[in-house]
Amino acid sequence: MPRKSTPPASTSENPDFYYPSRDVVRKAHVKDWEKLRKKALDDPLAFWEERAKELDWYKPWTKVLEDSKAPFYEWFVGGKTNVILNALDRHMRDARKNKLALIWEGENGDQVTMSYYRLRQEVNKFANVLKSMGVRKGDRVTIYMGRIPELIIAMLATVKIGAVHSVVYGGFSTEALAERIEDARSRVLVTCDGAWLRGKTVNLKEIANEAVGRSGYVEHVITVQRTGQDVEMVTGRDYWYHDLMALPIASPKCETEQMDAEDPMFILYTSGTTGRPKGVLHTHGGYQVHISATLKYVFDMKDEDRWWCAADPGWITGHSYIVYGPLILGATSFMYEGGPDYPYPDRWWKMVEEYGITIMYTAPTAIRGLMRFGESWPERHDISSLRLLGTVGEPINPEAWRWYHRVIGRGECPIMDTWWQTETGGHMITPLPSAPLKPGSGTKPFPGVDMDVVRDDGSSCGPNEEGRLVIKNPWPGMLRTVYGDPDRYIEQYWSFFKEQGWYMTGDSAKKDEDGYFWIIGRLDDVIKVAGYRLGTAEVESALVSHPAVSEAAVIGVPDEVKGNVIHAFCILTAGAGKPGEDALKKHVRSEMGPIAVPAHIEFVDSLPKTRSGKIMRRVLRARAMGEDEGDLSTLAD
Ligand code: WT7
């Protein structure tokens, strides 16, 4: 096992650590991780303010943080800006305008490259199209597409004119999309005919049509042609993207709307403990500061890099680190449309070689999936351009970490294991390249961020004692509210440690004797399946929407590749025949999407509940795993 044996003089020799090479440290933006952490934590506001000064503002702020209305914090108060000013407009001043902003490869081999100049032209054109459809400042635009450049263009164009996007992941299905359209009350939907996935096309437009029918707010649907498959277009409602972009209204000149730092920028729905998904709201000012600072320091972004964040723009990882972060830093990003193992398990490594990717960021589940195919696939390619690796979304098991480090990173590339959430906007616990690493730990909070693992009474846990992961001070990328439901914002995140004023993450974790954080998992009814966040309630309601199911409860059970998979327990409707397991899975797939499909479905006569009617998932978990069910004294019957 190649292990770098050049610890910085200040760190004691410890066999648990992987130390970065001198070369990595010498080139890094931040050469002394702990020193910067200490300095920033002494005065977080000064640290964030310095980062904000690296960006352009139409008008500077008068106050960095306004906390008088906590937990409704405000950042860079009085500042005027727009993320687009930093992501596109300011790059027109210098040679960066001719630099590649985006390199895209379709699963079928199609390629698109776009300079900053060209991307801005396309964004301006589409911004004018949106305006012509009546989209104004503050209006919500729902975007439901595959991983294609037009998805990015649609996001940027929306934000440019001061509207608010709600991107719904293309892997979601009818009910999930309908619910999100309804909650956001979007009058405009941008979608595409289909998407390529593993050699087949997914019919996104059909799902979009059905969802629009169910939700009833959408007046206009703009459809990008990607696959060319037959789709149903409704006269008066539906327009082709390419038709609109060819009209004179689609002029490449468009002023960027000057926004208040605290004006809404996007809503991103995420699963919570109960019922409907939460619309996590982010704003222009603080968000851009947080994501550009983290991307620069954590992934050490340089002008010559080729960055690949292999997430989907439909998730927060994609928003922050495919779309906005890299563009603000003027980086060159690579984006790929399809599945990682199509047509062969070397697809990713082939592209790393072909495009000379230098920094790669993905999820543990993808690493574990590709690891299964063996080392011979990456070995076919020269992937020595890679200099830094990253992971996100769920805990990475040390075995997968070591494989990623040794086989993909030649034992030389530091791995940035970044812990954060849709709600945090950007990285919160993460190493920087100069940090000593431990496989499976995200190390320590980012500079300026104060976090801890605490007991229910708020006292700090001792070394290696499991407790609640909390964030103790506000940070600029934080969510500002749950869209349309401020009470839920307070209740969900700020009520548990109300007295202390801490944000509760919903995760359990431990801190070891070196102060390194180890994430254990969710404490609430959220299940992470292959890194995707699913609420038990959403999956259960998809199951009971099948006529033969009267009640359902789902739990996560451990899986070697996906981290967790869903195990569903269903009670049949009286008099209904037992549906086939496949029929039920198909139903969940068409309501929620493939990520929500249970791996196992079990029919039962009753569900274990407490006397207050709460499902005892602990008992279900024990049953699914064939373990002892433990104390059943609180069971209702
Ligand atoms: C939850 C948030 C942040 C973008 C993708 C996920 C888990 C996230 C890690 C990590 C262990 C992690 C947590 C967190 N999580 N990153 N590096 N190590 N767990 O965003 O869908 O909002 O999910 O993902 O449980 O609370 P999300």
Side-chain angles (χ1 to χ4, degrees), residues 270 316-317 391-395 417-423 505 507 519 522 528 533:
T270 189
I316 191 70
T317 309
T391 95
V392 59
E394 56 183 325
D417 176 354
T418 61
W419 179 96
W420 54 297
Q421 306 178 305
T422 306
E423 292 88 341
T505 64
D507 278 14
I519 307 298
R522 298 290 306 187
K528 280 261 158 174
R533 179 165 158 181

Side-chain angles (χ1 to χ4, degrees), residues 99-104 113 299-309 326 330-335 351-361 385-388:
K99 184 180 170 176
L100 287 187
L102 181 68
I103 303 171
W104 175 82
T113 55
F299 285 109
D300 200 39
M301 198 70 79
K302 302 276 166 51
D303 229 2
E304 60 274 24
D305 277 310
R306 287 220 164 158
W307 161 252
W308 182 13
C309 168
T332 298
S333 269
F334 172 68
M335 183 166 84
M351 294 186 300
V352 168
E353 176 175 31
E354 209 161 292
Y355 296 105
I357 304 299
T358 59
I359 316 173
M360 181 167 186
Y361 188 29
S385 56
L386 289 169
R387 69 178 188 93
L388 211 54

Side-chain angles (χ1 to χ4, degrees), residues 268-271 280 311 315-318 320-321 361 363-364 391-396 416-427 429-430 440-442 469 503 505-508 517-524 526-528 531-534:
L268 188 54
Y269 287 89
T270 189
S271 298
V280 166
W315 301 105
I316 191 70
T317 309
S320 301
Y321 299 115
Y361 188 29
T391 95
V392 59
E394 56 183 325
I396 181 163
M416 303 296 107
D417 176 354
T418 61
W419 179 96
W420 54 297
Q421 306 178 305
T422 306
E423 292 88 341
T424 70
H427 303 147
I429 298 175
T430 174
S441 166
L469 183 68
Y503 169 94
T505 64
D507 278 14
S508 64
F517 286 73
W518 299 78
I519 307 298
I520 296 163
R522 298 290 306 187
L523 286 165
D524 52 11
V526 166
I527 310 176
K528 280 261 158 174
Y532 298 117
R533 179 165 158 181
L534 288 169

Side-chain angles (χ1 to χ4, degrees), residues 71-72 273-274 278 468 479 481-482 485-498 502-506 524:
F72 296 95
T273 317
T274 52
K278 295 179 292 220
R468 290 179 191 271
L479 80 162
T481 191
V482 172
D485 199 349
D487 292 343
R488 195 167 174 195
Y489 168 68
I490 296 174
E491 169 57 33
Q492 186 84 46
Y493 305 105
W494 304 95
S495 63
F496 199 93
F497 294 109
K498 185 168 182 238
W502 298 338
Y503 169 94
M504 195 180 64
T505 64
D524 52 11

